[in-house]
Amino acid sequence: MKQKLLTTLATLSLTLLSPQSIATDTTVIYAGSVLLGAKQTLEKQRTIIIKDNIITDIVKGFPSVVELKLPDAHVFDLKNQFVLPGLIDMHVHVTFERDATVNPHQWLTEYEADNALRSIKYLKRSLDAGFTSVRDLGGNYKVIFPLKRAVERGDITGPRIFAAGNAITATGGHGDLHGYRKEVSDVMTSSLGVCNGADDCRRAVRNVIKNGADVIKITATGGVLSNTAAGVNQQLSDDELAAIVDTAHHLGRKVTAHAHGTKGINAALKAGVDSIEHGSYLTKESMELFNKTNAYLVPTLLAGATVSKEVLSNPNMPTAIADKVREVAPKMEASFKLALKNKVNIAFGTDSGVSRHGLNADEFVLLVKYGMSEKQAIMSATVDAAKLLGQQDRLGQLSVGKQADIISVNGSPLDDITTLKNVQFVMKAGNVYKNQL
């Protein structure tokens, strides 16, 4: 009798825990205009059905929840809205925001927690702007990975984060610390990603992955905003680049290279990087390498436009930085146009942190101004960005089986890209974070 009772209880327990028997949270969205699928096809009057944060069906028209046999579903009426996938920014720095009015030595008085707490508002601004996923390319691992986990737990509000942590850089390279006496630099510089020689660079890659890196960020060339008059030419050697890419790929991580100067861009592409950030000095050879390797360009036009304005009004900008701003920023437009003409893969990225977080959509305006169609620009921040992330099975499009990352705007961004600067509705993974309707 006792054994029979135990068997009955076990059967009942399994039945109660069975996924089929657990009530699911269902949402219905009525979309007036919507971009659907991998080709971002414009459709009218579609109903999107979401269960357990996944899009389970998209049907024509606006059937009632009774007709759908979903009487208890949450309903969001976006019939007068233009609906599209949550946007993806492939180059941000969520742990800081450049501000010419702030004491540049402030960081010397602060702890990692100061950066983390300040970042909370940056994350919220980004999500409110319609960016449901971001790729953070270079930040203290002690700050960015706790922030990423806090977002995943729901402790704070923000886009899902794919993070590099500390960049891989040569000693004295763009990712190292500059402009301070040695005693200060030695204390404040993290050695996590600093390397010299191929073997040491392999160690650095393994180390940053050990500490949480989703993607490997390398500084293949000098950078505009590092306070050193070292130019923007190649800084990691060919054998170091090859070792970094080989190690990262063996450990299942993609590699993206900060690269301005032509030789550094081409060396990184020859080494097999998956994407180039900035790409300020592209040439015909660069085009051939991009198309041969299927690598992506993340142009970050907004960063160039932002520092070009700052150099005119910030007398405290160090001379080494100001000189590089004047030299490099004007080159970015021509390189982008060359890449577009040669049909290079392009993914959306702003370098937010250089510009203000939450203004990410200003990049769309520049992309269109410099030659992209509105649809191409949108695809660069949805379908194409998801491919570069390796997340095309989950993100970047509104299709059955994808995560319910959904935003809406007033008016068609296919007619006026600036509508994306004023997002009305934001859903990430089935949860609504903004609703101004």
Side-chain angles (χ1 to χ4, degrees), residues 202-280:
R202 289 183 188 276
R203 172 208 54 80
V205 172
R206 291 167 180 153
N207 210 8
V208 297
I209 291 175
K210 174 183 176 181
N211 284 279
D214 301 305
V215 59
I216 300 301
K217 160 76 176 294
I218 66 176
T219 58
T221 74
V224 172
L225 295 180
S226 50
N227 188 14
T228 175
V232 292
N233 297 315
Q234 184 173 346
Q235 291 186 338
L236 287 166
S237 65
D238 291 356
D239 61 332
E240 288 171 334
L241 289 168
I244 290 166
V245 173
D246 180 69
T247 305
H249 285 174
H250 273 95
L251 291 174
R253 301 300 191 276
K254 291 191 175 187
V255 181
T256 193
H258 156 102
H260 287 291
T262 301
K263 288 184 178 180
I265 293 168
N266 294 351
L269 289 169
K270 290 174 183 176
V273 299
D274 300 281
S275 55
I276 295 288
E277 310 296 315
H278 316 305
S280 303

Side-chain angles (χ1 to χ4, degrees), residues 357-373:
H357 295 283
L359 301 182
N360 312 53
D362 286 346
E363 180 83 12
F364 285 117
V365 178
L366 294 171
L367 292 172
V368 172
K369 178 181 178 181
Y370 295 156
M372 265 190 169
S373 70

